[in-house]
Amino acid sequence: MNKILIKNAKIVNEGTIFEGDLLIEDKFIKEIGASISPKSADVNIIDAEGNYLIPGAIDDQVHFREPGLTHKGEIETESRAAVAGGITSFIEQPNTVPNAVTQELLEDKYKRAAEVSYANYSFMMGGTNDNLEEVLKTNPRNVAGIKLFLGSSTGNMLVDDEAVLEKIFSNTSMLIATHCEDETTIRENFAKYKEKYGDDIPMKYHPEIRSAEACYISSSRAVELAKKTGARLHVFHVSTAKETELFTNKIPLEDKQITAEVCIHHLWFTDADYDKKGSLIKWNPAVKTAADREELWKALLDDRIDVIATDHAPHTLEEKQNPYTSAPSGGPLVQHAVVAMFEAFHQNKISVERIVEKMAHNPAKIFKVEKRGFIKEGYYADLVIVNPGLPWNVQKENILYKCGWSPFEGTNFKSRISHTFVNGQMVYNNFKVKDNVRCGERLLFNRE
């Protein structure tokens, strides 16, 4: 039997921090207490004095690129980077090649993850203009939700037929997650800059092309449709101040029918960073102004925004070095998301308790993840030890993404992940992933 006793940790759970011990037996948290003595000689004891013990982060939006785009990333490589970064569960998106828009293609991804994933996993079913029948077959017990792209996307995944949208919103009881950018507005903006600059549009104009207006038009439509149909809506990667006005903090999270997520890059970077970082911070939706970033932080802290995620979406450095019109949007983030938020903690922007709430508790609540996202007896031992006083610098040699680069390269972080446990197994220790411990499991959801 796998037994691990974590001693003297600052245990962070449900808004409190208390110093104590935690016993893992097999996959589960067996006991939490002020002082636990090992009851047998086969217990692996870890002294976590001075360090935080937090529930593993649940990243509700990643793109791990498998199948079809595996030169950019794979489930194995990116989940490996995720556990090194304190993310123990991920929800992956359907715009792979082929798109996961049939039940058979969706299950193929689950089968692959069962073979290679270091972290727990779920894959979203993709909606299109013509696959409603397939969408409605989705099992709410073992699939995280339905993903709809309401802005430019890969392949046949742009859903721009209003009648189809209303049918999907009206007919599924599952959570619907949306990428919200208005396609018409983006095309009009793009045409103006293309006429002026050709293919070599300066990267700083990306937030003008994929503008705040494009985001708000699309997000507001999605919210309006959810209110009209009663659908359970989760808006991904909110990036503008104006969008934050669409969401409420006046009711408990459990009662919300409409929830929102913000991503690390929108909390960290601004349009002032394009001159230095260029396409490395080209995302959709775009990184926008310092004023937008400030309002996103406000909405996060006053609970209009419920979740912090990554939208991890790797591309090769060669692809990123193309001119604007052919440089893809997206970047790798799972290895550095938790420590980036701890950097914000050191800057007095957010408490550790709130980081845990937004990165572990709330994703578990929103998606109704079974027995994960909290430090509770009987829950799966998905746990992370964070050393808040072990500075390090992000460099090529310590980047684990298959693409081999990070927008955080050169950044000094004050905190570092020292241990990660997935289903009770230590998968990361002393800054090394245990390559033979691929113990991720399919997430299950407490839904009727």
Side-chain angles (χ1 to χ4, degrees), residues 63 65 265 279-283 310-315 320 328-334 401 403 405-407:
H63 303 263
R65 303 307 193 194
H265 44 287
S279 64
L280 299 185
I281 62 164
K282 184 189 183 198
W283 277 281
T310 68
D311 194 15
H312 173 92
H315 300 283
K320 277 291 195 176
S329 293
L333 276 168
V334 289
Y401 311 125
C403 66
W405 65 272
S406 166

PDB file of all heavy atoms in Angstrom, residues 63 65 265 279-283 310-315 320 328-334 401 403 405-407:
ATOM      1  N   HIS A  63      -4.958  23.069 -24.526  1.00  0.00           N
ATOM      2  CA  HIS A  63      -4.893  22.487 -25.870  1.00  0.00           C
ATOM      3  C   HIS A  63      -3.592  21.699 -25.918  1.00  0.00           C
ATOM      4  O   HIS A  63      -2.519  22.287 -26.083  1.00  0.00           O
ATOM      5  CB  HIS A  63      -4.893  23.577 -26.943  1.00  0.00           C
ATOM      6  CG  HIS A  63      -6.066  24.500 -26.874  1.00  0.00           C
ATOM      7  ND1 HIS A  63      -7.198  24.341 -27.655  1.00  0.00           N
ATOM      8  CD2 HIS A  63      -6.299  25.595 -26.110  1.00  0.00           C
ATOM      9  CE1 HIS A  63      -8.060  25.308 -27.383  1.00  0.00           C
ATOM     10  NE2 HIS A  63      -7.540  26.078 -26.443  1.00  0.00           N
ATOM     11  N   ARG A  65      -2.850  19.325 -28.133  1.00  0.00           N
ATOM     12  CA  ARG A  65      -2.453  19.165 -29.537  1.00  0.00           C
ATOM     13  C   ARG A  65      -2.483  17.748 -30.102  1.00  0.00           C
ATOM     14  O   ARG A  65      -2.050  17.537 -31.239  1.00  0.00           O
ATOM     15  CB  ARG A  65      -1.050  19.747 -29.766  1.00  0.00           C
ATOM     16  CG  ARG A  65      -0.879  21.210 -29.378  1.00  0.00           C
ATOM     17  CD  ARG A  65      -1.911  22.082 -30.033  1.00  0.00           C
ATOM     18  NE  ARG A  65      -1.584  23.505 -29.931  1.00  0.00           N
ATOM     19  CZ  ARG A  65      -2.445  24.481 -30.185  1.00  0.00           C
ATOM     20  NH1 ARG A  65      -3.695  24.171 -30.540  1.00  0.00           N
ATOM     21  NH2 ARG A  65      -2.089  25.745 -30.083  1.00  0.00           N
ATOM     22  N   HIS A 265      -2.214  34.772 -18.795  1.00  0.00           N
ATOM     23  CA  HIS A 265      -1.584  35.786 -19.645  1.00  0.00           C
ATOM     24  C   HIS A 265      -2.336  37.112 -19.634  1.00  0.00           C
ATOM     25  O   HIS A 265      -1.719  38.171 -19.768  1.00  0.00           O
ATOM     26  CB  HIS A 265      -1.391  35.285 -21.080  1.00  0.00           C
ATOM     27  CG  HIS A 265      -2.549  34.568 -21.664  1.00  0.00           C
ATOM     28  ND1 HIS A 265      -2.911  33.294 -21.290  1.00  0.00           N
ATOM     29  CD2 HIS A 265      -3.444  34.929 -22.628  1.00  0.00           C
ATOM     30  CE1 HIS A 265      -3.946  32.894 -22.001  1.00  0.00           C
ATOM     31  NE2 HIS A 265      -4.298  33.874 -22.810  1.00  0.00           N
ATOM     32  N   SER A 279       5.173  37.956 -31.080  1.00  0.00           N
ATOM     33  CA  SER A 279       4.204  36.877 -31.281  1.00  0.00           C
ATOM     34  C   SER A 279       4.180  35.884 -30.124  1.00  0.00           C
ATOM     35  O   SER A 279       3.255  35.080 -30.030  1.00  0.00           O
ATOM     36  CB  SER A 279       4.497  36.126 -32.580  1.00  0.00           C
ATOM     37  OG  SER A 279       5.768  35.486 -32.495  1.00  0.00           O
ATOM     38  N   LEU A 280       5.180  35.931 -29.233  1.00  0.00           N
ATOM     39  CA  LEU A 280       5.193  35.017 -28.091  1.00  0.00           C
ATOM     40  C   LEU A 280       4.020  35.281 -27.148  1.00  0.00           C
ATOM     41  O   LEU A 280       3.644  34.413 -26.364  1.00  0.00           O
ATOM     42  CB  LEU A 280       6.509  35.112 -27.320  1.00  0.00           C
ATOM     43  CG  LEU A 280       7.782  34.759 -28.103  1.00  0.00           C
ATOM     44  CD1 LEU A 280       8.988  34.771 -27.164  1.00  0.00           C
ATOM     45  CD2 LEU A 280       7.671  33.414 -28.800  1.00  0.00           C
ATOM     46  N   ILE A 281       3.438  36.481 -27.219  1.00  0.00           N
ATOM     47  CA  ILE A 281       2.237  36.752 -26.421  1.00  0.00           C
ATOM     48  C   ILE A 281       1.027  37.029 -27.322  1.00  0.00           C
ATOM     49  O   ILE A 281       0.076  37.693 -26.924  1.00  0.00           O
ATOM     50  CB  ILE A 281       2.448  37.903 -25.410  1.00  0.00           C
ATOM     51  CG1 ILE A 281       2.780  39.223 -26.106  1.00  0.00           C
ATOM     52  CG2 ILE A 281       3.506  37.534 -24.390  1.00  0.00           C
ATOM     53  CD1 ILE A 281       2.617  40.441 -25.196  1.00  0.00           C
ATOM     54  N   LYS A 282       1.090  36.473 -28.533  1.00  0.00           N
ATOM     55  CA  LYS A 282      -0.068  36.566 -29.432  1.00  0.00           C
ATOM     56  C   LYS A 282      -1.025  35.437 -29.082  1.00  0.00           C
ATOM     57  O   LYS A 282      -0.749  34.268 -29.345  1.00  0.00           O
ATOM     58  CB  LYS A 282       0.370  36.462 -30.894  1.00  0.00           C
ATOM     59  CG  LYS A 282      -0.779  36.650 -31.887  1.00  0.00           C
ATOM     60  CD  LYS A 282      -0.359  36.333 -33.308  1.00  0.00           C
ATOM     61  CE  LYS A 282      -1.509  36.605 -34.272  1.00  0.00           C
ATOM     62  NZ  LYS A 282      -1.330  35.928 -35.569  1.00  0.00           N
ATOM     63  N   TRP A 283      -2.127  35.798 -28.449  1.00  0.00           N
ATOM     64  CA  TRP A 283      -3.176  34.850 -28.090  1.00  0.00           C
ATOM     65  C   TRP A 283      -4.501  35.330 -28.674  1.00  0.00           C
ATOM     66  O   TRP A 283      -4.652  36.504 -29.019  1.00  0.00           O
ATOM     67  CB  TRP A 283      -3.358  34.768 -26.567  1.00  0.00           C
ATOM     68  CG  TRP A 283      -2.426  33.878 -25.826  1.00  0.00           C
ATOM     69  CD1 TRP A 283      -2.483  32.516 -25.712  1.00  0.00           C
ATOM     70  CD2 TRP A 283      -1.275  34.284 -25.061  1.00  0.00           C
ATOM     71  NE1 TRP A 283      -1.454  32.061 -24.923  1.00  0.00           N
ATOM     72  CE2 TRP A 283      -0.712  33.124 -24.512  1.00  0.00           C
ATOM     73  CE3 TRP A 283      -0.682  35.515 -24.777  1.00  0.00           C
ATOM     74  CZ2 TRP A 283       0.431  33.154 -23.710  1.00  0.00           C
ATOM     75  CZ3 TRP A 283       0.455  35.550 -23.980  1.00  0.00           C
ATOM     76  CH2 TRP A 283       1.003  34.370 -23.460  1.00  0.00           C
ATOM     77  N   THR A 310      -5.268  28.477 -17.930  1.00  0.00           N
ATOM     78  CA  THR A 310      -4.104  28.812 -18.749  1.00  0.00           C
ATOM     79  C   THR A 310      -4.404  29.028 -20.229  1.00  0.00           C
ATOM     80  O   THR A 310      -3.739  29.824 -20.870  1.00  0.00           O
ATOM     81  CB  THR A 310      -3.031  27.706 -18.666  1.00  0.00           C
ATOM     82  OG1 THR A 310      -3.518  26.512 -19.297  1.00  0.00           O
ATOM     83  CG2 THR A 310      -2.621  27.447 -17.226  1.00  0.00           C
ATOM     84  N   ASP A 311      -5.365  28.303 -20.799  1.00  0.00           N
ATOM     85  CA  ASP A 311      -5.510  28.242 -22.256  1.00  0.00           C
ATOM     86  C   ASP A 311      -4.179  27.838 -22.888  1.00  0.00           C
ATOM     87  O   ASP A 311      -3.778  28.361 -23.925  1.00  0.00           O
ATOM     88  CB  ASP A 311      -6.004  29.574 -22.825  1.00  0.00           C
ATOM     89  CG  ASP A 311      -6.488  29.457 -24.266  1.00  0.00           C
ATOM     90  OD1 ASP A 311      -6.713  28.322 -24.727  1.00  0.00           O
ATOM     91  OD2 ASP A 311      -6.636  30.503 -24.926  1.00  0.00           O
ATOM     92  N   HIS A 312      -3.483  26.933 -22.222  1.00  0.00           N
ATOM     93  CA  HIS A 312      -2.205  26.410 -22.712  1.00  0.00           C
ATOM     94  C   HIS A 312      -2.378  25.942 -24.152  1.00  0.00           C
ATOM     95  O   HIS A 312      -3.194  25.077 -24.444  1.00  0.00           O
ATOM     96  CB  HIS A 312      -1.781  25.234 -21.815  1.00  0.00           C
ATOM     97  CG  HIS A 312      -0.576  24.493 -22.289  1.00  0.00           C
ATOM     98  ND1 HIS A 312       0.696  24.815 -21.889  1.00  0.00           N
ATOM     99  CD2 HIS A 312      -0.449  23.427 -23.123  1.00  0.00           C
ATOM    100  CE1 HIS A 312       1.561  23.984 -22.446  1.00  0.00           C
ATOM    101  NE2 HIS A 312       0.889  23.125 -23.201  1.00  0.00           N
ATOM    102  N   ALA A 313      -1.607  26.547 -25.077  1.00  0.00           N
ATOM    103  CA  ALA A 313      -1.780  26.256 -26.507  1.00  0.00           C
ATOM    104  C   ALA A 313      -0.444  26.407 -27.215  1.00  0.00           C
ATOM    105  O   ALA A 313      -0.157  27.425 -27.829  1.00  0.00           O
ATOM    106  CB  ALA A 313      -2.818  27.197 -27.109  1.00  0.00           C
ATOM    107  N   PRO A 314       0.415  25.379 -27.136  1.00  0.00           N
ATOM    108  CA  PRO A 314       1.771  25.512 -27.673  1.00  0.00           C
ATOM    109  C   PRO A 314       1.840  25.500 -29.194  1.00  0.00           C
ATOM    110  O   PRO A 314       1.041  24.852 -29.870  1.00  0.00           O
ATOM    111  CB  PRO A 314       2.489  24.286 -27.090  1.00  0.00           C
ATOM    112  CG  PRO A 314       1.401  23.281 -26.871  1.00  0.00           C
ATOM    113  CD  PRO A 314       0.196  24.071 -26.487  1.00  0.00           C
ATOM    114  N   HIS A 315       2.827  26.256 -29.702  1.00  0.00           N
ATOM    115  CA  HIS A 315       3.243  26.215 -31.101  1.00  0.00           C
ATOM    116  C   HIS A 315       4.764  26.185 -31.111  1.00  0.00           C
ATOM    117  O   HIS A 315       5.401  26.595 -30.137  1.00  0.00           O
ATOM    118  CB  HIS A 315       2.762  27.456 -31.862  1.00  0.00           C
ATOM    119  CG  HIS A 315       1.279  27.626 -31.887  1.00  0.00           C
ATOM    120  ND1 HIS A 315       0.455  26.895 -32.716  1.00  0.00           N
ATOM    121  CD2 HIS A 315       0.463  28.431 -31.172  1.00  0.00           C
ATOM    122  CE1 HIS A 315      -0.806  27.253 -32.514  1.00  0.00           C
ATOM    123  NE2 HIS A 315      -0.836  28.183 -31.581  1.00  0.00           N
ATOM    124  N   LYS A 320       5.997  30.483 -34.576  1.00  0.00           N
ATOM    125  CA  LYS A 320       5.774  31.784 -33.945  1.00  0.00           C
ATOM    126  C   LYS A 320       6.582  32.911 -34.592  1.00  0.00           C
ATOM    127  O   LYS A 320       6.226  34.081 -34.470  1.00  0.00           O
ATOM    128  CB  LYS A 320       6.115  31.699 -32.452  1.00  0.00           C
ATOM    129  CG  LYS A 320       4.994  31.145 -31.584  1.00  0.00           C
ATOM    130  CD  LYS A 320       3.831  32.123 -31.522  1.00  0.00           C
ATOM    131  CE  LYS A 320       2.855  31.814 -30.417  1.00  0.00           C
ATOM    132  NZ  LYS A 320       1.781  32.822 -30.320  1.00  0.00           N
ATOM    133  N   PRO A 328       0.856  31.706 -35.596  1.00  0.00           N
ATOM    134  CA  PRO A 328      -0.345  31.248 -34.898  1.00  0.00           C
ATOM    135  C   PRO A 328      -0.492  31.882 -33.526  1.00  0.00           C
ATOM    136  O   PRO A 328       0.489  32.323 -32.908  1.00  0.00           O
ATOM    137  CB  PRO A 328      -0.116  29.731 -34.784  1.00  0.00           C
ATOM    138  CG  PRO A 328       1.371  29.575 -34.796  1.00  0.00           C
ATOM    139  CD  PRO A 328       1.898  30.661 -35.675  1.00  0.00           C
ATOM    140  N   SER A 329      -1.716  31.919 -33.045  1.00  0.00           N
ATOM    141  CA  SER A 329      -2.014  32.455 -31.716  1.00  0.00           C
ATOM    142  C   SER A 329      -2.000  31.334 -30.684  1.00  0.00           C
ATOM    143  O   SER A 329      -2.463  30.227 -30.943  1.00  0.00           O
ATOM    144  CB  SER A 329      -3.370  33.148 -31.710  1.00  0.00           C
ATOM    145  OG  SER A 329      -3.336  34.302 -32.513  1.00  0.00           O
ATOM    146  N   GLY A 330      -1.484  31.652 -29.507  1.00  0.00           N
ATOM    147  CA  GLY A 330      -1.439  30.684 -28.421  1.00  0.00           C
ATOM    148  C   GLY A 330      -0.027  30.511 -27.907  1.00  0.00           C
ATOM    149  O   GLY A 330       0.951  30.808 -28.601  1.00  0.00           O
ATOM    150  N   GLY A 331       0.087  30.038 -26.670  1.00  0.00           N
ATOM    151  CA  GLY A 331       1.396  29.807 -26.082  1.00  0.00           C
ATOM    152  C   GLY A 331       1.310  28.814 -24.935  1.00  0.00           C
ATOM    153  O   GLY A 331       0.229  28.548 -24.399  1.00  0.00           O
ATOM    154  N   PRO A 332       2.455  28.260 -24.528  1.00  0.00           N
ATOM    155  CA  PRO A 332       2.483  27.273 -23.446  1.00  0.00           C
ATOM    156  C   PRO A 332       2.478  27.940 -22.079  1.00  0.00           C
ATOM    157  O   PRO A 332       3.183  28.925 -21.874  1.00  0.00           O
ATOM    158  CB  PRO A 332       3.809  26.544 -23.704  1.00  0.00           C
ATOM    159  CG  PRO A 332       4.694  27.603 -24.289  1.00  0.00           C
ATOM    160  CD  PRO A 332       3.795  28.495 -25.102  1.00  0.00           C
ATOM    161  N   LEU A 333       1.712  27.380 -21.128  1.00  0.00           N
ATOM    162  CA  LEU A 333       1.598  28.043 -19.816  1.00  0.00           C
ATOM    163  C   LEU A 333       1.486  27.117 -18.610  1.00  0.00           C
ATOM    164  O   LEU A 333       1.644  27.568 -17.479  1.00  0.00           O
ATOM    165  CB  LEU A 333       0.381  28.992 -19.817  1.00  0.00           C
ATOM    166  CG  LEU A 333       0.628  30.376 -20.400  1.00  0.00           C
ATOM    167  CD1 LEU A 333      -0.704  31.102 -20.603  1.00  0.00           C
ATOM    168  CD2 LEU A 333       1.524  31.203 -19.501  1.00  0.00           C
ATOM    169  N   VAL A 334       1.181  25.822 -18.794  1.00  0.00           N
ATOM    170  CA  VAL A 334       0.825  24.996 -17.636  1.00  0.00           C
ATOM    171  C   VAL A 334       1.945  24.842 -16.604  1.00  0.00           C
ATOM    172  O   VAL A 334       1.684  24.697 -15.408  1.00  0.00           O
ATOM    173  CB  VAL A 334       0.316  23.589 -18.056  1.00  0.00           C
ATOM    174  CG1 VAL A 334      -1.056  23.677 -18.690  1.00  0.00           C
ATOM    175  CG2 VAL A 334       1.308  22.878 -18.973  1.00  0.00           C
ATOM    176  N   TYR A 401       7.913  21.999 -21.815  1.00  0.00           N
ATOM    177  CA  TYR A 401       6.997  21.912 -22.953  1.00  0.00           C
ATOM    178  C   TYR A 401       7.726  21.323 -24.171  1.00  0.00           C
ATOM    179  O   TYR A 401       8.906  21.582 -24.387  1.00  0.00           O
ATOM    180  CB  TYR A 401       6.473  23.298 -23.334  1.00  0.00           C
ATOM    181  CG  TYR A 401       5.955  24.114 -22.180  1.00  0.00           C
ATOM    182  CD1 TYR A 401       6.469  25.389 -21.930  1.00  0.00           C
ATOM    183  CD2 TYR A 401       4.955  23.627 -21.348  1.00  0.00           C
ATOM    184  CE1 TYR A 401       5.990  26.153 -20.888  1.00  0.00           C
ATOM    185  CE2 TYR A 401       4.473  24.381 -20.294  1.00  0.00           C
ATOM    186  CZ  TYR A 401       4.997  25.649 -20.065  1.00  0.00           C
ATOM    187  OH  TYR A 401       4.532  26.406 -19.025  1.00  0.00           O
ATOM    188  N   CYS A 403       7.428  22.233 -27.145  1.00  0.00           N
ATOM    189  CA  CYS A 403       7.829  23.331 -28.025  1.00  0.00           C
ATOM    190  C   CYS A 403       9.121  24.015 -27.553  1.00  0.00           C
ATOM    191  O   CYS A 403       9.758  24.741 -28.312  1.00  0.00           O
ATOM    192  CB  CYS A 403       6.709  24.350 -28.169  1.00  0.00           C
ATOM    193  SG  CYS A 403       6.306  25.234 -26.637  1.00  0.00           S
ATOM    194  N   TRP A 405       9.854  26.477 -25.446  1.00  0.00           N
ATOM    195  CA  TRP A 405       9.957  27.893 -25.105  1.00  0.00           C
ATOM    196  C   TRP A 405       8.812  28.291 -24.184  1.00  0.00           C
ATOM    197  O   TRP A 405       7.840  27.554 -24.014  1.00  0.00           O
ATOM    198  CB  TRP A 405       9.941  28.766 -26.364  1.00  0.00           C
ATOM    199  CG  TRP A 405       8.652  28.720 -27.142  1.00  0.00           C
ATOM    200  CD1 TRP A 405       8.313  27.834 -28.120  1.00  0.00           C
ATOM    201  CD2 TRP A 405       7.521  29.599 -26.999  1.00  0.00           C
ATOM    202  NE1 TRP A 405       7.042  28.089 -28.593  1.00  0.00           N
ATOM    203  CE2 TRP A 405       6.538  29.174 -27.927  1.00  0.00           C
ATOM    204  CE3 TRP A 405       7.236  30.701 -26.186  1.00  0.00           C
ATOM    205  CZ2 TRP A 405       5.303  29.800 -28.062  1.00  0.00           C
ATOM    206  CZ3 TRP A 405       5.997  31.340 -26.321  1.00  0.00           C
ATOM    207  CH2 TRP A 405       5.046  30.884 -27.247  1.00  0.00           C
ATOM    208  N   SER A 406       8.948  29.464 -23.569  1.00  0.00           N
ATOM    209  CA  SER A 406       7.908  29.989 -22.689  1.00  0.00           C
ATOM    210  C   SER A 406       7.901  31.510 -22.772  1.00  0.00           C
ATOM    211  O   SER A 406       8.968  32.131 -22.869  1.00  0.00           O
ATOM    212  CB  SER A 406       8.181  29.579 -21.237  1.00  0.00           C
ATOM    213  OG  SER A 406       7.366  30.332 -20.339  1.00  0.00           O
ATOM    214  N   PRO A 407       6.708  32.133 -22.723  1.00  0.00           N
ATOM    215  CA  PRO A 407       6.665  33.602 -22.666  1.00  0.00           C
ATOM    216  C   PRO A 407       7.252  34.131 -21.359  1.00  0.00           C
ATOM    217  O   PRO A 407       7.534  35.327 -21.249  1.00  0.00           O
ATOM    218  CB  PRO A 407       5.166  33.912 -22.777  1.00  0.00           C
ATOM    219  CG  PRO A 407       4.488  32.671 -22.302  1.00  0.00           C
ATOM    220  CD  PRO A 407       5.367  31.543 -22.737  1.00  0.00           C
TER     221      PRO A 407
END
